[in-house]
Amino acid sequence: MGQLYRYDDFDKAFLAERIAQFRGQVARRIAGDITEEQFRPLRLQNGLYLQLHAYMLRVAIPYGTLDARQMRVLAEVARRFDKGYGHFTTRQNIQYNWVKLEEAADALALLAEADLHAIQTSGNCIRNVTSDQFAGVALDEIEDPRPWGEIIRQWSTLHPEFGFLPRKFKIAITGAESDRAAVKIHDIGIRLVKNEAGETGFEIIVGGGLGRTPIIGKVIRAFLPKRDLLTYLESVLRVYNRYGRRDNIYKARIKILVQEIGIEKMREEVEAEFAARSADPLTLPPELIASIESHFAPVAYAPQPAEPAAYQSALASDTGFAAWVKTNTAAHKATGYAIVTVTLKPAGGIPGDATADQMDALADLAERYSENEIRVTHVQNLVLPHVRKADLPVIYAELQRIGFAEAHLNTAADIIACPGLDYCALANARSIPIAQEISARVAKPGRLEEIGPVQIKISGCINACGHHHVGHIGLLGVDKNGEEFYQITLGGHAGDDPARSAAVGTILGPSLSKDAVADGIDKVFDAYLALRAAPEETFVETVRRVGTTPFKERVYAAG
């Protein structure tokens, strides 16, 4: 069985108290005893937003790890309290867009039965801690980062000092060479690294973030001993809480503080705070670290042949299966096993959406074929992390049945998109229909293979929930006199490939109308195919080699 953190009696009692408290707050709001203005901070710290059409409930999936029981509960919430589906987000959360206020506490109570909650999925606090979806099974991993994600979660939940920060605060952690957690675009990014003595510790990155001012984070500490993780994080948060802007919402993130005072001054302030806390009670004793790590003990894999006969036969006889294996599976630590990524982006579908029935089917697959474990990615897909290669043909067949067997991971059809103006009260433009139109076009026979690996990311407003700034192709929805337009950026990168550093994309030119944007993306791809030095040169490599001008000339050419 896959190993996950299990709530103890303290955790369960804590959740029960929070839900009872929130139930009382909801009752007072419905009765009119408190105003919406008074209720807003209360509901936000319980993950409840007021969107365009209804309340939206955002549920945390800490460091992206679920078991089958939890996935079935997420499905049941979708059936009982939504319209039969949920939306997986770029923060390894799931959102329900049609929750009734009077039923919100009941939904939270059901989630609590499976050790799930919505605490601090909104508000100016430390949000859900995210991590690498391949944690614990990746070949390039130094160490499983999830125990550290759990330690951070426990420390940050309802922290008395950091519940009302200048602005929301996001932390991501990875233990691998490939940055599948996009740590450099977070307020704090954490990488497990080894020093020259061979000791494992952390590289700490601060001041990353997207939104109105996209900034790649900077290294503030090259090596931090494990025992000091929480003390150092608390030092960073204290400096931010002390100096962060509270007079301007657009300048309130830690990235602006780091930009204004510089990384050297930020390091000086944090190190001074850290030094003053040398005997800090947050120093992590080895036995506590070991206790948390025991929840994530490696799976005891049964020995398997490296290349099972049934698997080899399916590869040879089924071209669809072979294509899916090539794109949607990754190398595993254990011989005879594979990591399977399930793309929640059927051609023409809504990125990140899954119905209750699909969630139940995925829970069944996890239970039968993946040591009871599922991961949520920050690119709106799901992962089965412990799959025997011999079982891949049956998993592929089941994914075909539920509509999630597309062989297009990391292609132009694997699009990230926020909910946009279809749901979000902050959005300027719709994201979902644009993603659907582009994915339907590129899914035509041969087009995806011709284009090769590329990441398209769409945001419906400058808040950048779709991470458009770091898309190889980014699309930002803007409002022009009540009309929806889309700004294109090229060459962004989240840093998931160790050969390429994280980068913010370059704006291509004037925004395109909603009716012209899909044609514009077609022209971008046509330009790439004409400009690439060889079929092996990827889209982002071509952009970095030739710049954006040749693409701009093709997209904005008259006629």
Side-chain angles (χ1 to χ4, degrees), residues 69-90:
R69 172 192 62 144
Q70 290 173 321
M71 181 63 90
R72 290 193 181 99
V73 167
L74 294 179
E76 187 62 19
V77 170
R79 286 193 185 92
R80 287 176 52 183
F81 303 106
D82 201 278
K83 294 187 176 183
Y85 65 92
H87 175 74
F88 290 94
T89 79
T90 55

Side-chain angles (χ1 to χ4, degrees), residues 128-206:
N128 185 40
V129 178
T130 58
S131 189
D132 178 5
Q133 67 270 19
F134 292 175
V137 293
L139 278 175
D140 64 338
E141 186 173 79
I142 294 172
E143 185 178 303
D144 189 343
R146 292 177 303 155
W148 301 100
E150 176 58 29
I151 287 170
I152 296 168
R153 184 194 71 82
Q154 293 190 20
W155 160 76
S156 63
T157 301
L158 297 190
H159 193 296
E161 196 172 342
F162 306 138
F164 294 93
L165 294 165
R167 199 71 171 83
K168 58 187 176 182
F169 204 93
K170 299 175 181 178
I171 299 174
I173 182 169
T174 183
E177 182 182 3
S178 295
D179 179 13
R180 288 175 289 266
V183 296
K184 290 186 177 179
I185 61 170
H186 285 75
D187 299 280
I188 294 179
I190 305 170
R191 292 180 62 240
L192 279 150
V193 294
K194 286 188 179 293
N195 65 11
E196 293 180 356
E199 299 166 320
T200 304
F202 304 102
E203 178 186 77
I204 308 296
I205 299 158
V206 301

